[in-house]
Amino acid sequence: MARAPRPNDASSDRPLSRRVAALGALWPFLRPYRGMAVLALIALVITAGVSLVLPLAVRRVVDEFGGATHLLDQYFAAALGIVALLALGTALRYYLVTRLGERVVADIRKAVHDRVIGLSPELHERLMTGEILSRITTDTTLILSVIGSSVSLALRNALIFAGGMTMLLVTSAKLTGLVLLIVPAAIVPVMLLGRRLRRLSRENQDWIAASSGAASETLLAAQTVQAFTAEGSVRRRFADLTERSFEAALARITVRAVMTAIVIFLVFAGVVGVLWVGARDVAADRMTIGQLVQFVIYAILVAGAAGALTEIWGEVQRAAGATERLVELLGLTDTVTDPPQPLPVPSLAASEIRFEGVTFRYPTRPDRNALERVDLTVRPGETVALVGPSGGGKTTVMQLLLRFRDPQEGRVTIGGVDLRQMSREALRRQIALVPQDPVIFADTARANILFGRPDATDAEVEAAARAAAAHDFLMRLPDGYDSFLGERGVMLSGGQKQRIAIARAILRDAPLLLLDEATSALDAESERAVQDAVESLSGTRTMIIIAHRLATVKRADRIIVLDQGRVVAEGTHETLVAEGGLYARLARLQFAEGMTATAAE
């Protein structure tokens, strides 16, 4: 099998981060918690200061202690107080920065989810669900690591490094000069290998996202995969993506390990050399033993801080890449937006819906019109059926009416007001939708129906379920309406899912009801019950129905025939059959049983 291609999504099209300044995009999420960050910084400064005081105490013990017990007691009592302060400051710092990290990451996750859930279908078509989930989970985990740990440790080690270097200079300018020669040697590999590490970190994250996307796609279609005995190819594809992710991670780990080894060797080799010079100075009485011990401790602190900063730098770079990926989602420009000052939505119970010269092309098929110069009027309280061959534009009409998309030419209006001048939320509050593929959430049957109107009573839920012919089968479930339906309603048949979706739409009690093949998965008896329910609603609200079944089409006030994006015929069932043409041909092909029954009558 061919190797998996490099992830080809939005994440792989953007330039790689050249600096950690990308983390600046986190500031809007940190700003509300400035007080917590300041307290954490204070605790951090205290603990770093205490760490820098300890070598001074050691020097005094070595140089001044001459066997006096009272001095011994004083020194160790002071040491105990310093340790207690260090423990308290460290615990406080840990609590504050960890809480800050968890709070900020929670806000980021909510912001990304809130942004993505409101995007138009066009953008969802370009982003795989697994890719989005990877950013919300894996990328935010990296940011949590940085905010809740790495940044804090980086600042602490930076303070220790700076303070330690200062105290080294105070202790021995000669030895400090030798130490300073080590610093460039440690910085050079960090600068040279850092850019490659950033690129490998981003590549690793992209492969993880691709692997997550593939897993999400195949797990959601597990039955189809098994039915076509495609488990082998699916497993190979996922294994290949996972291996590519591992290879990218291995390359990143290797570069980071090499960088760490080089830095640590250079730093500690330099320290050993400096100590050798210092030992010779002690032997020549140019330094005291206490000074040398103090210098050694500060040198160890500085070397440890430099090594820690090298480790942390890699984590910060990974988080910078993760931040870019998240900010990219937050900064997506949607093709469908609300106007700055939206107009009120006219009541759909008393307003006409009009398509005026509407032309629409899907971005993935820019050379083909899904709708072409369509003129269409739906009067309030009218039941209109849209019929025609697949790809004729029926679903596109509903997509434009829900303002999931906007036409390239013409306009869609309600009561004379263009949909683009309205708030999408206010518009959709007046619409109830039954999609062809019903969506069932991993919750109870009651919660799924209540999704249409969360404040409805149990009696209203039951009435909607009865109207949708769902009550009887729901009562046969183990816990009735409170039975858990499983992920995507796996415990239900296709017809049962559709009846719950219809009950949800009926409960919404909106003035416009959109039915997209709402009875396609129902048996004859259930279909009859649902059709009776739909018929009882006609006249009290406007209904637009996409249907292929004759029984539903015959009951519509008006039938619109769409073919290749154009309205080719319009009228009642009887008039369209009498005219011949596309509708009569479709009726003969798709509704032969219904036509026979009509002829018999």
Side-chain angles (χ1 to χ4, degrees), residues 323-443:
T323 301
E324 284 184 333
R325 291 160 57 86
L326 289 166
V327 169
E328 183 180 73
L329 280 182
L330 292 171
L332 283 175
T333 301
D334 206 343
T335 55
V336 180
T337 57
D338 291 338
Q341 300 294 329
L343 297 178
V345 181
S347 171
L348 278 165
S351 303
E352 281 188 345
I353 300 168
R354 294 179 63 87
F355 282 64
E356 302 174 0
V358 170
T359 296
F360 177 79
R361 293 175 293 278
Y362 286 96
T364 54
R365 302 187 298 275
D367 57 338
R368 180 178 179 272
N369 291 331
L371 293 178
E372 185 174 350
R373 295 190 297 275
V374 169
D375 291 306
L376 174 63
T377 300
V378 180
R379 293 178 286 275
E382 187 178 22
T383 299
V384 173
L386 304 179
V387 302
S390 297
K394 303 182 295 296
T395 299
T396 303
V397 169
M398 288 195 175
Q399 293 249 324
L400 295 178
L401 188 51
L402 282 160
R403 205 166 171 244
F404 290 151
R405 306 174 189 272
D406 286 332
Q408 282 85 19
E409 299 175 26
R411 62 176 192 158
V412 183
T413 66
I414 295 175
V417 181
D418 194 319
L419 299 191
R420 286 170 289 204
Q421 297 177 288
M422 306 174 186
S423 159
R424 287 170 292 170
E425 183 179 352
L427 167 67
R428 293 167 188 166
R429 283 201 198 102
Q430 296 196 52
I431 303 175
L433 170 68
V434 181
Q436 183 173 2
D437 297 319
V439 175
I440 302 298
F441 299 97
D443 208 330

Side-chain angles (χ1 to χ4, degrees), residues 434-436 498-499 502 515-522 530 546:
V434 181
Q436 183 173 2
Q498 213 154 27
R499 278 178 275 177
I502 293 169
L515 301 168
D516 188 355
E517 287 290 350
T519 61
S520 61
L522 300 183
V530 170
I546 294 177

